[in-house]
Amino acid sequence: MAAVLFDFSGTLFRIESTESWLRAVLAETEISLPEPELIRAARALDTVGALPGGSFPSGRIPDELAPVWEIRDKSAELHRTAYTGLSRQVSLPDPALHDALYDRHMTPTAWRPYPDTAEVLGALRERGVVVGVVSNIGWDLRPVFRDHGLDPYVDAYVLSYEHGIQKPDPRLFATACDALGVDPRETLMVGDDRRADGGAAALGCAVHFVDHLPVTKRPDGLRPVLDLVG
């Protein structure tokens, strides 16, 4: 393999828990909630899927949000509308908290790399294998990689909202291969979403899936990539 493309959320990094997310925003805004109410609100936010990169909505997407939800990763505006719309299904003490929560999830401190992320990216660099990050997302994740010291290992970022194309559309993977100057047939795509990331197979890429688990429960899920690259 000449190149490896990685998904971002659930593959290289994992977002904080919904409870941690809510606690951080309440602290930043100096709004207090009784502990039982905070736990209730965090669980409700998790159930509706309000945290990008967190749990998928467990119930039906509201009718007014359904059209936006399907194309949420095609622009920054659509992404914010979709997730704040889900968040607003949950009653919070100040309506401004819904946008504050969305803003929080875009900060580097809200994300943690998996334990073997740096090791695997570093090993690929030593082998001369180029790396791209291909993500369905509505905001610029580059600061997350810079803050965690992983940006030097990434040769190209291809983000859906910057191209108006979202996975599994093969054109997004083709854009990544072009940016890296590699043949898709010599490229491995690594992700956690069989539908979205599996779209790379239509282009001729090999595909490998990892489990979307909390950081503490997936200590070495990326290491098989090194064997696949050869």
Side-chain angles (χ1 to χ4, degrees):
M1 293 292 175
V4 180
L5 306 178
F6 288 98
D7 173 51
F8 166 57
S9 174
T11 301
L12 294 176
F13 282 81
R14 175 69 187 247
I15 190 70
E16 64 187 331
S17 70
T18 309
E19 183 181 326
S20 171
W21 177 53
L22 179 57
R23 286 186 186 278
V25 170
L26 290 173
E28 290 165 6
T29 55
E30 299 183 341
I31 295 174
S32 60
L33 272 179
E35 187 67 11
E37 184 64 16
L38 188 153
I39 297 299
R40 182 208 64 78
R43 288 175 179 168
L45 289 166
D46 190 66
T47 297
V48 301
L51 174 58
S55 299
F56 196 78
S58 61
R60 181 183 178 191
I61 302 294
D63 290 342
E64 66 274 16
L65 282 179
V68 174
W69 180 257
E70 291 301 318
I71 56 171
R72 64 192 180 279
D73 296 311
K74 288 189 175 183
S75 77
E77 294 76 16
L78 289 168
H79 197 266
R80 178 182 284 271
T81 296
Y83 282 102
T84 57
L86 292 177
S87 175
R88 288 188 176 95
Q89 294 181 82
V90 178
S91 178
L92 296 175
D94 185 338
L97 285 171
H98 299 290
D99 277 304
L101 284 167
Y102 184 85
D103 292 340
R104 161 74 186 181
H105 104 275
M106 295 186 288
T107 63
T109 53
W111 295 87
R112 287 178 61 192
Y114 281 93
D116 55 347
T117 293
E119 172 194 339
V120 170
L121 292 179
L124 292 173
R125 176 53 53 94
E126 290 177 359
R127 297 182 187 186
V129 177
V130 292
V131 167
V133 172
V134 185
S135 178
N136 277 353
I137 199 166
W139 50 277
D140 187 4
L141 53 72
R142 294 173 183 87
V144 176
F145 281 80
R146 289 197 293 267
D147 192 78
H148 289 276
L150 297 175
D151 181 63
Y153 300 123
V154 181
D155 300 286
Y157 296 91
V158 177
L159 312 181
S160 61
Y161 85 102
E162 293 181 337
H163 299 276
I165 305 168
Q166 63 186 34
K167 298 181 290 189
D169 193 323
R171 292 178 296 168
L172 200 64
F173 304 106
T175 298
C177 290
D178 289 344
L180 295 172
V182 295
D183 187 325
R185 294 168 295 182
E186 298 178 350
T187 300
L188 174 67
M189 174 66 206
V190 181
D192 67 299
D193 188 320
R194 279 163 172 72
R195 178 178 176 273
D197 300 312
L203 200 65
C205 299
V207 181
H208 175 70
F209 297 109
V210 295
D211 294 323
H212 188 140
L213 294 171
V215 167
T216 56
K217 294 184 178 180
R218 208 194 78 193
D220 54 5
L222 291 169
R223 288 189 184 127
V225 170
L226 300 178
D227 293 328
L228 293 169
V229 168

